[in-house]
Amino acid sequence: MQKTETKSFDAWTDFYSAAPAIGKWPLWPAEPLIRMMRGNYVPGIDKEYAGKKAIDVGFGSGNNLLLLGSLGMELYGVEVSENICEQTTEQLSHYGYKADLKAGSNRSIPYPDDSFDVLVSWNVIHYDNTEEHMQQAIAEYARVLKPGGRFFVSTVAPNNKILLGAKQLSAHQFEIGRTDDFRKGEVFFSFGSPENVQKFFGRSFKDVLVGRVTEDLFVDVLDWYMVTGRK
Ligand SMILES: C[S@@+](CC[C@H](N)C(=O)[O-])C[C@H]1O[C@@H](n2cnc3c(N)ncnc32)[C@H](O)[C@@H]1O
């Protein structure tokens, strides 16, 4: 049976509660995000981050907030439960960073319009799994970015291990079948092609670029679309 959103939010809260004690939390930012933000791969990108405001939607352990903090940015974030916000606030303070973290979701970000210079959403947006919800999530990302602000998103691409054995329910909906993953039964949104990513993000953003990272990790393949653009 398909998981409801509440069940899925509870499962994530449990996942992070069970994480190792302070100092043993996963702290490594996503390397492709570092490349996108710091490297010379995104034409016209403004790499003056210090003092600007960044939000991480679905920040999880706060790994990418550490990156944003190390760039001198003011830190904000949204997660699916207060519990995760409290835990990650504590983790970040352990490493010397202060962050304003609030409960919310892709489609409900509790900050005013035009708040942020940068928005990161790393492996999070596909939990909004209907076309309508996906479009609302993207519009919500655009709402909280300042005009000219930039987003950095990653989302599952077709060969990602999480989609192995999934049941396709409609053009973009895949029910996770992996028995070795706590997300079994959850429905993911899969764009399926770079053209579809462009189509969805292009409705709310300009200068949209779509890249892809595929890692063959011996026993499993990780495969993501990376997306950036401006409001
Ligand atoms: C695969 S983890 C990624 C965490 C982190 N961004 C990273 O890169 O390590 C997915 C995260 O999305 C959060 N999440 C799940 N559904 C969400 C939703 N509808 N809106 C916002 N975040 C959600 C989960 O709590 C979880 O922390």
Side-chain angles (χ1 to χ4, degrees), residues 179-195:
T179 49
D180 60 352
D181 195 294
F182 73 94
R183 292 166 292 183
K184 183 177 178 345
E186 191 147 337
V187 178
F188 271 38
F189 188 98
S190 170
F191 288 92
S193 71
E195 291 75 19

Side-chain angles (χ1 to χ4, degrees), residues 125 133-142 191 200-201 204-205:
I125 201 160
H133 284 182
M134 178 54 66
Q135 209 59 67
Q136 287 169 359
I138 294 170
E140 182 69 347
Y141 287 7
F191 288 92
F200 276 84
F201 280 85
S204 299
F205 293 105

Side-chain angles (χ1 to χ4, degrees), residues 37-66:
M37 294 189 74
R38 298 290 312 277
N40 297 319
Y41 304 105
V42 177
I45 193 170
D46 175 6
K47 288 186 269 184
E48 297 299 321
Y49 296 111
K52 294 187 179 159
K53 294 169 88 169
I55 184 165
D56 187 348
V57 180
F59 53 78
S61 66
N63 56 340
N64 291 323
L65 284 168
L66 285 176

